[in-house]
Amino acid sequence: MPAHAQGLEAASMAALPAPRLIFSQEEMELAQAVAASPGLADFYGSNGLKPIFLGAEGAPRRAALIEAISAASSHGLPPARYHRGRLQQLDGQGDQSLQAELAFARNFVRWTQDLTGGLLDPRKVDSGIKRSVARSSTGKLMRDFMQAPDPQAWLAGLAPRDRDYLALQDALSGMSRLAAPAGTPAVPKGSWREGDGGAGVAKLRERLAAIGFDSIPTSDPEIFDAPLVQAVAEFQDAAGLPADGVAGPQTVARLNRGVGPEAKGILVALERMRWMHGHDMNDRLVWVNLPAYTAEIRENGETVFSTKVVIGKDEATHETPEFTEDMKYIVANPRWNVPRSITVKEYLPRLQANRNAVGHIDVVDRAGNVISRDRIDFRKYTASNFPYRMRQKPSDDNALGVVKFLFPNPWNIYLHDTPTKHLFNESRRAYSHGCIRVGRPLDLAHELMQGQFNNPEATFSKALSSGREAYLNLTKPLPVHLVYFTAFPDEDGRIRRYPDIYGRDAAVYAALVKAGLESAGRGN
């Protein structure tokens, strides 16, 4: 290395801050405690290994977090997951220990991640859910929270604010005012009154708190104390029971009553809306709700176009997946490249019986050349070694009709026209191999092209009249959301119900219950 370069490098190194080599015992203990959590390690490392929830300076943050998680039920999130009672106890006692800091920090992470991206990883719930959630990093969330002049307002601002989420919240509030959220531990059968003790009393206290009837314990949460008497009496009064403050069999049975199936659908819908974090629901977008069998174009949260659709069959290999990608092309006179699964499972057996079967579809080699069927002995091939593809040229009876809408994705799912129009008259429209057939394809094409072409109808008509496959590139790609809501608000905010055709809502609800129960047992 030349001498001058060495000098520059030495000067640059000298300008860097010297690495810190000495840490206090408290800093070392905090570093070790968060080492297994990358997000917390990132934050505390960037904050000089200093606590942010302890002491007078941390009081507004403690109060803000306790206030925020008090609203868990209104979001359909299980309150027990966030250990509000434990945090209240630590705050009330003025606990300045490392364990107190960690309890607040870990529940802050859990709350903020759940609220902004959902409690679940959707891809682990069902194989048909391909959705990726754009979650904020723990380090960034904690840094923003620490720097917020009003921690309570900052936490309140994290919740989704779009119209549909708020309508779902309102519906949940009306349906389950006195029903504990999924995952809240049930109260064991029995009867408790002031002075009694045991684990059952703690579960009674927890379930009441989950519904909104708090009772901060005077000492041991397993002792039936005066605050719990008051909470029981308030619940009894709200439920129309004698308000004697005694948790007898009737009160326990009413407390343990869960949400009904209608509320379950809304709980799942709220979770699914949280999965949409990072997407602007007020943007111009395409919204395909699979259980509703509809595709819409939305702007500013309002539906400006709607059409019926046919979706994938209720079979493991044909269910239409859920995901979001950008629509980039509209294709006039599309060729149909037959999916490999259809080629080898449906068409190859027919060709082996009669080489002239499905004569409207060409057999092509890997280079795309059409191969005469007389040159192929179909009987010598199997599904695993068939070397050809099949392709249908543009025509009136093409399986894709006269137009398809491409939003490139790994699953080769797209929207398209179809010559099979009668299926749109059915109420249950799950008949395809996975792609989405559109009831009003030309109207959809024209609407999508609005604002991107001077004369959408004329442009598309010219492309159609050519008889050749033609790609029309969208200058501004539109997000296409393939979603799955069995409960969703209409234009007036009323909740509409749709069948759980693929059983995915049942799987999501079961996962929500499991996550709530598992996390409630962790004592942080």
Side-chain angles (χ1 to χ4, degrees):
M1 179 182 295
H4 73 278
Q6 291 178 342
L8 289 173
E9 183 176 358
S12 298
M13 292 292 289
L16 293 175
R20 189 175 170 196
L21 301 176
I22 301 175
F23 300 89
S24 68
Q25 181 179 347
E26 292 80 7
E27 290 170 343
M28 286 298 297
E29 289 175 350
L30 178 55
Q32 291 169 353
V34 300
S37 171
L40 288 177
D42 167 30
F43 169 72
Y44 283 108
S46 68
N47 194 47
L49 294 172
K50 302 298 182 185
I52 65 167
F53 288 103
L54 302 184
E57 185 180 349
R61 298 179 189 127
R62 296 195 301 273
L65 181 58
I66 292 170
E67 174 70 19
I69 62 179
S70 298
S73 296
S74 70
H75 293 280
L77 292 168
R81 179 171 165 82
Y82 311 104
H83 305 99
R84 181 180 59 177
R86 170 65 173 154
L87 299 185
Q88 287 176 318
Q89 187 177 44
L90 292 170
D91 186 43
Q93 294 172 348
D95 194 319
Q96 300 298 304
S97 68
L98 171 62
Q99 293 309 311
E101 174 73 16
L102 294 174
F104 276 93
R106 287 167 178 161
N107 283 290
F108 170 89
V109 172
R110 186 174 289 168
W111 172 253
T112 54
Q113 290 290 349
D114 290 356
L115 193 63
T116 60
L119 189 154
L120 306 173
D121 179 345
R123 292 168 297 181
K124 294 181 179 179
V125 177
D126 186 279
S127 61
I129 307 176
K130 312 295 186 183
R131 183 164 303 285
S132 298
V133 180
R135 296 181 182 273
S136 300
S137 74
T138 292
K140 182 180 187 307
L141 286 169
M142 293 197 74
R143 280 186 283 273
D144 290 348
F145 176 63
M146 183 188 71
Q147 296 164 5
D150 185 342
Q152 186 171 335
W154 185 88
L155 282 172
L158 288 181
R161 301 300 302 169
D162 59 271
R163 186 194 66 178
D164 295 321
Y165 190 88
L166 296 177
L168 289 165
Q169 278 191 291
D170 287 344
L172 179 64
S173 175
M175 288 181 184
S176 56
R177 187 170 64 91
L178 296 178
T184 307
V187 182
K189 291 182 180 180
S191 182
W192 289 274
R193 62 184 64 242
E194 189 170 7
D196 289 344
V201 173
K203 285 185 169 59
L204 170 65
R205 191 187 301 276
E206 184 177 351
R207 196 163 183 90
L208 282 165
I211 303 171
F213 298 93
D214 295 315
S215 58
I216 300 175
T218 54
S219 56
D220 187 344
E222 293 193 356
I223 298 299
F224 201 125
D225 52 15
L228 185 54
V229 172
Q230 180 66 25
V232 170
E234 290 175 356
F235 169 78
Q236 290 169 326
D237 184 61
L241 300 172
D244 57 9
V246 176
Q250 189 176 9
T251 298
V252 169
R254 181 65 183 84
L255 263 173
N256 284 339
R257 187 189 304 173
V259 296
E262 291 187 346
K264 290 179 181 178
I266 293 176
L267 290 173
V268 171
L270 285 165
E271 174 71 1
R272 288 182 174 278
M273 286 300 294
R274 290 188 287 268
W275 294 347
M276 305 301 292
H277 179 255
H279 298 292
D280 186 354
M281 293 293 100
N282 290 316
D283 199 357
R284 180 172 165 86
L285 53 85
V286 179
W287 184 265
V288 184
N289 188 10
L290 303 176
Y293 304 113
T294 57
E296 301 173 352
I297 298 177
R298 294 177 143 209
E299 288 184 14
N300 299 315
E302 304 286 341
T303 299
V304 298
F305 175 86
S306 182
T307 179
K308 295 178 179 180
V309 298
V310 171
I311 66 171
K313 300 174 185 176
D314 180 15
E315 299 175 6
T317 56
H318 296 318
E319 292 181 2
T320 302
E322 304 165 48
F323 61 90
T324 292
E325 291 291 351
D326 286 343
M327 184 181 294
K328 298 180 178 179
Y329 319 104
I330 297 175
V331 186
N333 302 314
R335 295 184 296 180
W336 181 39
N337 294 297
V338 182
R340 175 77 181 178
S341 59
I342 298 177
T343 296
V344 298
K345 292 179 181 178
E346 299 182 22
Y347 291 164
L348 180 57
R350 295 172 63 181
L351 290 167
Q352 289 171 332
N354 176 7
R355 71 173 63 246
N356 295 314
V358 290
H360 59 294
I361 300 179
D362 293 329
V363 179
V364 299
D365 62 17
R366 289 186 174 88
N369 302 308
V370 177
I371 306 300
S372 171
R373 298 180 181 213
D374 294 336
R375 296 171 51 191
I376 304 172
D377 182 359
F378 293 101
R379 293 170 298 180
K380 64 186 282 190
Y381 296 112
T382 66
S384 61
N385 66 8
F386 187 59
Y388 301 102
R389 295 185 295 111
M390 300 191 73
R391 185 179 66 204
Q392 186 180 16
K393 61 176 67 74
S395 63
D396 291 339
D397 64 348
N398 184 286
L400 304 185
V402 299
V403 59
K404 70 176 178 180
F405 307 87
L406 291 182
F407 39 104
N409 59 83
W411 308 281
N412 198 28
I413 297 296
Y414 46 87
L415 278 71
H416 64 86
D417 181 19
T418 176
T420 313
K421 304 294 187 183
H422 69 278
L423 294 178
F424 295 107
N425 297 322
E426 303 286 336
S427 58
R428 185 185 184 282
R429 297 189 291 276
Y431 293 105
S432 81
H433 285 83
C435 286
I436 300 158
R437 305 174 190 172
V438 180
R440 297 169 54 198
L442 297 182
D443 292 337
L444 175 61
H446 297 160
E447 184 64 35
L448 289 171
M449 294 167 66
Q450 290 292 338
Q452 306 215 33
F453 296 85
N454 291 331
N455 190 329
E457 289 84 354
T459 300
F460 191 75
S461 178
K462 180 179 180 181
L464 272 184
S465 63
S466 72
R468 299 186 303 274
E469 185 175 64
Y471 277 65
L472 302 170
N473 297 343
L474 298 181
T475 55
K476 184 182 179 183
L478 274 72
V480 178
H481 302 292
L482 303 190
V483 297
Y484 191 102
F485 287 93
T486 64
F488 205 72
D490 63 13
E491 293 294 305
D492 299 319
R494 293 173 298 183
I495 304 300
R496 299 297 183 185
R497 304 284 176 170
Y498 308 103
D500 186 10
I501 46 177
Y502 297 152
R504 291 180 191 165
D505 260 26
V508 173
Y509 183 76
L512 286 172
V513 171
K514 182 179 179 183
L517 288 172
E518 287 180 346
S519 59
R522 301 172 191 152
N524 55 357

